[in-house]
């Protein structure tokens, strides 16, 4: 059905990785995005990896890893602590990992990440984003808002078996994707005004 195809092409974005200045990981409690980022870092795609996030504003605490808690088995107070451990466990040098652990939603993650890179004097011309596949559009939109002069490459991972090919076949997949459609509109309203000025 064309309507499902339109939603799929809007939400699910994927690029081939390219050499970049940094790999961003929006906050979360799933290890797969950080595992993907570690893989790309080890392959030499970027010198820095930047996980960011405190915990969800809706939850108010970090719930622990959603899977593989036998591997990632420390006590984590924030999403950053968790993702940092995933990265180090998967071979990323700790000196290549940047830190931000105050953000409670993706808009904050993007803009607080910009504050950190600016403070370090990093000129981010190209960046990779490793995120959940159904979070790809919103992550791209929000990071683009915070880094308007940066070229982004989205390198997503599927979680819970939810993919661009099957999201509409389950109630959970449908709920997650349609929530992303809604959140893209809600969270980008203010960005439109900024973009209008340019």
């Amino acid at each position: 059905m064309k309507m499902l195809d339109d939603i799929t092409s809007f939400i699910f974005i994927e690029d081939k990785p390219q050499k970049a200045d940094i790999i961003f990981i929006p906050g979360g409690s799933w290890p797969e995005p950080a595992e993907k980022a570690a893989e790309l870092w080890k392959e030499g795609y970027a010198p820095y990896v930047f996980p960011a996030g405190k915990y969800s504003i809706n939850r108010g605490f970090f719930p622990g890893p959603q899977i593989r808690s036998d591997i990632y088995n420390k006590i984590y107070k924030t999403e950053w602590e968790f993702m940092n451990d995933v990265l180090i466990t998967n071979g990323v040098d700790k000196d290549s990992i940047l830190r931000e652990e105050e953000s409670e939603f993706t808009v904050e993650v993007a803009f607080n990440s910009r504050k950190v890179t600016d403070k370090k004097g990093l000129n981010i011309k190209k960046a990779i984003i490793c995120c959940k596949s159904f979070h790809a559009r919103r992550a791209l939109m929000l990071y683009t808002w915070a880094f308007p002069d940066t070229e982004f490459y989205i390198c997503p991972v599927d979680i819970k078996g939810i993919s661009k090919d099957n999201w509409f076949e389950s109630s959970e997949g449908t709920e997650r994707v349609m929530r992303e459609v809604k959140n893209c509109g809600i969270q980008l309203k203010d960005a439109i005004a900024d973009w209008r000025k340019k």
Side-chain angles (χ1 to χ4, degrees):
M1 177 183 283
K2 184 177 185 304
M3 187 60 67
L4 292 179
D5 291 342
D6 289 343
I7 294 168
T8 300
S9 63
F10 176 70
I11 291 295
F12 292 87
I13 309 167
E14 184 167 4
D15 301 306
K16 288 184 179 180
Q18 304 287 332
K19 289 277 188 178
D21 302 303
I22 200 164
I23 302 169
F24 290 114
I25 315 168
S29 54
W30 295 87
E32 293 96 320
E35 290 170 343
K36 177 71 173 180
E39 175 188 317
L40 294 173
W41 180 86
K42 287 187 290 185
E43 291 174 0
Y45 280 101
Y48 296 105
V49 186
F50 194 173
K54 185 177 181 182
Y55 42 66
S56 167
I57 193 170
N58 297 322
R59 187 177 279 127
F61 64 93
F62 182 70
Q66 296 294 317
I67 61 169
R68 296 202 265 283
S69 56
D70 57 325
I71 299 172
Y72 311 116
N73 52 17
K74 299 180 176 64
I75 296 173
Y76 308 106
K77 294 180 180 177
T78 66
E79 294 171 346
W80 182 87
E81 285 186 5
F82 166 59
M83 292 183 288
N84 181 63
D85 187 42
V86 173
L87 292 169
I88 290 173
T89 300
N90 285 276
V92 178
D93 187 327
K94 63 181 176 58
D95 293 331
S96 295
I97 302 170
L98 303 188
R99 182 173 187 160
E100 192 292 311
E101 54 183 336
E102 298 300 321
S103 303
E104 296 182 344
F105 46 92
T106 312
V107 176
E108 284 188 343
V109 165
F111 280 92
N112 286 343
S113 294
R114 178 62 190 262
K115 290 177 184 177
V116 172
T117 58
D118 283 354
K119 188 173 182 179
K120 285 186 68 69
L122 298 177
N123 181 17
I124 309 298
K125 295 179 180 177
K126 296 184 178 183
I128 294 169
I129 300 176
C130 290
C131 59
K132 300 183 290 288
S133 58
F134 54 75
H135 187 48
R137 173 62 67 179
R138 184 156 58 103
L140 174 61
M141 293 172 82
L142 294 172
Y143 275 95
T144 298
W145 187 13
F147 293 84
D149 299 317
T150 300
E151 182 177 355
F152 287 98
Y153 307 101
I154 306 299
C155 297
V157 291
D158 296 333
I159 65 160
K160 300 195 77 174
I162 300 169
S163 73
K164 65 181 180 181
D165 298 319
N166 67 14
W167 66 268
F168 48 84
E169 294 176 356
S170 69
S171 57
E172 182 174 12
T174 301
E175 170 64 28
R176 286 180 180 270
V177 169
M178 297 313 293
R179 189 187 312 147
E180 286 297 318
V181 172
K182 181 180 80 170
N183 286 339
C184 281
I186 291 171
Q187 295 184 7
L188 268 294
K189 284 189 301 183
D190 293 335
I192 301 299
D194 283 354
W195 295 336
R196 234 184 356 244
K197 297 172 187 174
K198 296 182 178 181

